[in-house]
Amino acid sequence: MGSVAAQVHKAQAEDGRRGGRGSPRPRRPRLWRIRAPISRRLSVILAVAGFVLPLALWEAASAAHIVAQLFLPSPADVWASLRHWSHGALGHDTIVSIYRVVAGFALGALIGVPIGLMIGAYRWCAALLQPINDFVRYMPASAFIPLVILWVGIGEGSKIAIIFIGVVFQIVVMVADAVRKVPDSYLEAAYTMGARPGEVMKYVIWRGTWPQIVDILRINMGWAWTYLVVAEMVAADSGLGFAILQAQRFLDTAKIFVGIIVIGLIGLAFDLFFRAMHKRLFPWYRP
Amino acid sequence: MSTPPVRLEGVGKGFVGRDGTFLPVLKGIDMVASSHEFVAIVGASGCGKSTLLRLIAGLDDVSEGTIRVDGRPIAGPGPDRGMVFQQSTLFPWLTVWQNLRFPRALAVNADATSREMWQYLARSHALLDMMGLARVRDSYPNQLSGGMQQRVSIARALVANPAVLLMDEPFGALDAQTREVMHDLILHLFAAEKTTALFVTHDVEEAIYLADRVIVLAPNPGRVDSVHAIPWGRDRTQDLKLDQAFVALKGEILARIRATAAVHADRELMERMTGHGRAPSE
Ligand SMILES: Nc1ncnc2c1ncn2[C@@H]1O[C@H](COP(=O)(O)OP(=O)(O)OP(=O)(O)O)[C@@H](O)[C@H]1O
Ligand SMILES: [Mg+2]
């Protein structure tokens, strides 16, 4: 019985395959074919589902009272907390945090990108700076807090400095690697057309690595946000990270949730911005 | 007028291996390419054809000897020697037209007179038309087929009006049909261009069909084995490839390559065999 069913199934499958070859639309979307494209609709549905499913699980878990309110507030609690906070300092906290992250990140990019370009392009720069950069890169940014307070004080500068320390060394390595991946043959082609080293730097290396650099900045913007809470541990009196730390002290779990979610949403917005910019600026780019 | 565009005298090149020993790749190369001449260079794989072209381009420095272009010893790469590589080196971030115009932005061309600039522009347009690229002028290189990309590469190398055009297996990655089209295009192009060409290939038929002279390099270390004058004028058609004399010449050159390569391969094989043979008896 079972074997007959299996044979029928197999025959149907073969039929489907034979029919599928010529027909314009395959019977099933081939989700498991590696790198198979999916429709725009499906992609949106899946993205929404990726948010809605955990939300539903969360709602179910809190409704069933599996976990104590203190540890897992319900979505409704979080919503209420958000409304409450938004009448208060949420706007200000958000702006302050965005300012710190963007400032620390921008400073990191402003200093990290040129150094990365130098290391990638000139062997002597690599010999001089790469080892020390890799050495510092593995030190946790949070460990610099005492030093930063000592050097920069407890003002706005210290928060920006922590975020700066968190990203700058990563930007340097990643940009240097991107520069090294520019094929030698591009440089040689430019030289045979009469380009000077400075021009090769400007017209070939800089132009050629632009897409990767924007990608690197996108990734590091994400990391900058992860350093926010650490940065706002330093004598802050506002900001999303500060609010989260404060909420922890008062066991206001719902507010912690709100803070984390708001950071996530802002991060997502920045990510989408960078992606959109990438697509607009580099229509020629094929990774 | 009398100075040839390219003159090589006793050119040698070697690389220092990983164990510190000096490996000669080219040795005692004497070679002259006269004005408007199309010279093809063939030889067994690894005999140093690419190395030779890179030396002339100035991308590598000679170990011994001198290379003169228009009578002057070369010092590094320069716009007087255009180069086309086997793999496309078009800048993917520039369109076809922008790639063609790339040399224009460089400092070497900064003090061009407006008349020269105008000629430059006219030349870009002419090359675009002659190479059949007008339709794709605003496309990016990765939207083009391999054959189209090489057309753009050749046009880009020619736009600065170099004294010499160096081509290293420019059609090596193309299929047979596209190659034939490219061959006729090259013949047509060089009937109009006043550029001297050095063309490296491993395809003997291609070499004879395109060149005025075919130079066979022998490997290990690379040196000139023989020089074959090609007796036909520039207006050639694909039918020529079926000509008795053409086939005979092809056989002759192939025999030279085979002879030189066989010596090389046999020697290597012998060394390996004697090496292995001795080891167990010790
Ligand atoms: N940078 C380098 N360092 C060490 N050895 C090299 C270097 N470049 C080339 N060689 C050696 O020089 C020899 C000639 O290389 P080359 O690429 O010029 O040969 P070729 O005639 O172009 O070969 P093919 O027909 O395969 O392209 C090879 O044995 C190669 O290993
Ligand atoms: Mg080669």
Side-chain angles (χ1 to χ4, degrees), chain A residues 164-198:
Chain A
F164 168 78
I165 291 168
V167 295
V168 69
F169 303 106
Q170 310 295 336
I171 292 179
V172 167
V173 205
M174 293 171 85
V175 170
D177 276 344
V179 170
R180 278 190 276 252
K181 285 203 189 96
V182 175
D184 272 341
S185 57
Y186 289 176
L187 312 189
E188 290 177 344
Y191 283 126
T192 60
M193 285 185 274
R196 292 167 190 169

Side-chain angles (χ1 to χ4, degrees), chain A residues 188 192-193 199 207-208 284 286, chain B residues 54 78 92-93 106-107 142:
Chain A
E188 290 177 344
T192 60
M193 285 185 274
E199 289 173 319
R207 280 297 306 272
W284 51 271
R286 302 273 149 83
Chain B
R54 291 177 58 83
W93 54 91
L106 302 176
N142 62 20

Side-chain angles (χ1 to χ4, degrees), chain A residues 96-117:
Chain A
V96 166
S97 285
I98 289 180
Y99 164 69
R100 286 169 183 160
V101 169
V102 170
F105 162 83
L107 210 60
L110 225 60
I111 291 172
V113 171
I115 294 179
L117 285 170

Side-chain angles (χ1 to χ4, degrees), chain B residues 41-49 169 200-204 214-219 253 256-258 260-261:
Chain B
I41 300 167
V42 295
S45 180
C47 69
K49 305 184 291 293
E169 303 199 32
V200 162
T201 176
H202 61 253
D203 180 346
V204 174
V214 176
I215 296 179
V216 177
L217 287 192
I253 293 174
R256 285 314 311 157
I257 295 174
R258 238 175 255 135
T260 56

Side-chain angles (χ1 to χ4, degrees), chain B residues 15-16 23 25 43-52 168-169 200 202:
Chain B
F15 294 98
V16 178
L23 298 163
V25 172
S45 180
C47 69
K49 305 184 291 293
S50 298
T51 306
L52 182 62
D168 189 0
E169 303 199 32
V200 162
H202 61 253

